[in-house]
Amino acid sequence: MGEERRLRDLWAEARELSLGTSGCVDRLDAPPSPLRFLRDYVSANKPCLISRAATRGWPAVSLWSDDAYLRRALRGHAVSVHLTPHGRADSLVPLPSARGRGGGLCFASAAVRSMDFSEALELITATGSPSSPTVAYAQQQNDCFRAEYSALAGDVEPDVPWATEALGRLPEAVNLWIGNGRSETSFHKDHYENLYAVITGEKHFLLLPPTDVHRLYVRHYPAAHYVLDDGGELRLELEQPERQVPWCSVDPYPETAEALAEQREAFPLYFDGPKPFECTVKAGEILYLPSMWFHHVRQTPDRHGRTIAVNYWYDMQFDIKYAYFSFLQSIDYTLPPCKPSAKV
């Protein structure tokens, strides 16, 4: 109990001394100067939300809600679409029953199909229906905006100028995300300074700072991936040879009261600790998500049934903050064993 008390003291002090205790993210009415951004947010490893003034002058904000415009601009372009049964790629799901290891979980990646953009747009919209057995999400990452959607490059800035000046580098990758109301991203962290601009719809973020790593019960899970069978249905297969992936175990939004009770019992440090920071990013706004912050993302689509976003990944500085986080993560606090039957 002494170790747990010290961890809880750390979570409280991080909020009292730097991050704030309200659970809200700082909101800026205008883009910060490079100096203020570096001093108050990057160096402090603290998120902030910048109003629509951040994307003033971006044609995408007015053009990308027009299907006809997108189809014309990307005519003949093939894009990557990720397919899952539930909208949660790169997340924990029950192990395939064929392996006879019922009750356990695995880390599942989506099936990926390349298709014409018009077909992708139609599929993403159609699979937003709760009755659809498949959910399509354009979430390729890996600099996909510049690789697959280059015809739209003139509609957004190639970088975020005040962030580029503050960080002293151009973005390593620029990614485009097109999803529907069923698209969801499970808790994870990235080693990038992330500038996340929503173009249409809304994104809802739950955020936890690096100090809270033990609250997410990072465990190793066998890797699996969805494949499309000959009938067009998704099937989950474990990777061979087996590969283990470290991933956050907590589902912050269990679907049933029973599942919530199981999650609370299995992961008390998350549910009984300080509330996560919450932030809704609306069309035209930009969220600065600092490196190594854990984040879970859901979305509300626009009137066309989609949410579109562009994010800019800047390489993080591997400095003393990274050393402190690595040390904290290495502390082997003996957590109560989580039940393998905890529902996802």
Side-chain angles (χ1 to χ4, degrees):
M1 291 303 293
E3 290 177 340
E4 181 176 329
R5 185 180 67 253
R6 285 191 286 271
L7 285 175
R8 290 184 181 275
D9 288 344
L10 172 64
W11 307 336
E13 288 178 359
R15 287 159 173 79
E16 291 167 3
L17 297 176
S18 176
L19 303 175
T21 58
S22 69
C24 300
V25 171
D26 282 5
R27 183 177 181 87
L28 309 182
D29 292 331
S33 68
L35 176 60
R36 184 189 178 196
F37 179 59
L38 181 61
R39 180 192 62 208
D40 295 350
Y41 297 103
V42 179
S43 295
N45 198 237
K46 181 178 180 179
C48 63
L49 178 64
I50 302 96
S51 74
R52 289 177 60 104
T55 58
R56 187 172 293 134
W58 289 23
V61 176
S62 59
L63 292 176
W64 288 8
S65 57
D66 181 352
D67 283 9
Y69 170 78
L70 292 174
R71 292 176 190 275
R72 283 196 308 272
L74 291 166
R75 182 179 293 119
H77 285 250
V79 300
S80 301
V81 177
H82 292 231
L83 305 172
T84 62
H86 38 58
R88 298 185 297 273
D90 295 343
S91 67
L92 301 180
V93 301
L95 282 161
S97 57
R99 284 294 297 266
R101 296 164 64 181
L105 300 174
C106 63
F107 172 81
S109 301
V112 183
R113 278 187 57 199
S114 179
M115 62 184 72
D116 182 79
F117 174 77
S118 290
E119 181 185 356
L121 195 64
E122 184 175 339
L123 185 63
I124 291 167
T125 304
T127 59
S129 168
S131 62
S132 173
T134 304
V135 180
Y137 191 10
Q139 55 160 59
Q140 178 67 7
Q141 304 176 64
N142 301 322
D143 205 27
C144 68
F145 182 68
R146 295 187 288 206
E148 296 186 349
Y149 301 90
S150 58
L152 299 176
D155 294 343
V156 299
E157 293 285 351
D159 64 304
V160 181
W162 41 270
T164 295
E165 185 174 344
L167 297 167
R169 64 186 72 90
L170 290 166
E172 173 72 17
V174 183
N175 304 307
L176 184 73
W177 310 76
I178 307 177
N180 55 49
R182 299 172 70 194
S183 306
E184 186 173 317
T185 304
S186 62
F187 263 124
H188 69 287
K189 63 173 171 44
D190 300 307
H191 291 104
Y192 291 102
E193 308 294 352
N194 190 353
L195 278 298
Y196 202 104
V198 172
I199 307 300
T200 72
E202 298 180 352
K203 295 266 187 173
H204 311 288
F205 286 79
L206 285 182
L207 307 175
L208 283 176
T211 51
D212 292 32
V213 58
H214 293 96
R215 298 181 60 196
L216 290 168
Y217 297 79
V218 177
R219 305 282 194 245
H220 283 79
Y221 297 92
H225 59 270
Y226 290 101
V227 295
L228 278 170
D229 62 22
D230 294 338
E233 295 188 358
L234 290 170
R235 182 179 70 255
L236 184 62
E237 294 183 352
L238 284 168
E239 291 188 10
Q240 295 296 334
E242 185 171 296
R243 177 172 65 93
Q244 295 287 317
V245 176
W247 205 252
C248 301
S249 302
V250 174
D251 175 9
Y253 297 112
E255 293 183 355
T256 66
E258 179 188 4
L260 175 58
E262 291 194 7
Q263 287 277 317
R264 282 187 171 278
E265 181 181 356
F267 312 123
L269 295 184
Y270 176 82
F271 288 96
D272 298 338
K275 277 190 171 183
F277 291 83
E278 295 189 56
C279 177
T280 291
V281 188
K282 298 181 179 181
E285 297 179 335
I286 294 181
L287 171 67
Y288 166 56
L289 179 58
S291 56
M292 301 183 294
W293 272 63
F294 294 92
H295 49 289
H296 180 284
V297 192
R298 298 197 296 180
Q299 46 199 13
T300 299
D302 63 9
R303 59 189 177 86
H304 298 292
R306 291 184 300 276
T307 301
I308 305 178
V310 177
N311 82 300
Y312 300 81
W313 271 343
Y314 290 81
D315 278 338
M316 66 172 284
Q317 189 74 34
F318 287 86
D319 55 12
I320 193 68
K321 293 194 299 293
Y322 177 75
Y324 286 146
F325 172 73
S326 297
F327 172 71
L328 177 63
Q329 189 171 234
S330 73
I331 295 174
D332 186 19
Y333 169 57
T334 305
L335 299 166
C338 58
K339 289 186 175 181
S341 62
K343 291 185 173 62
V344 176

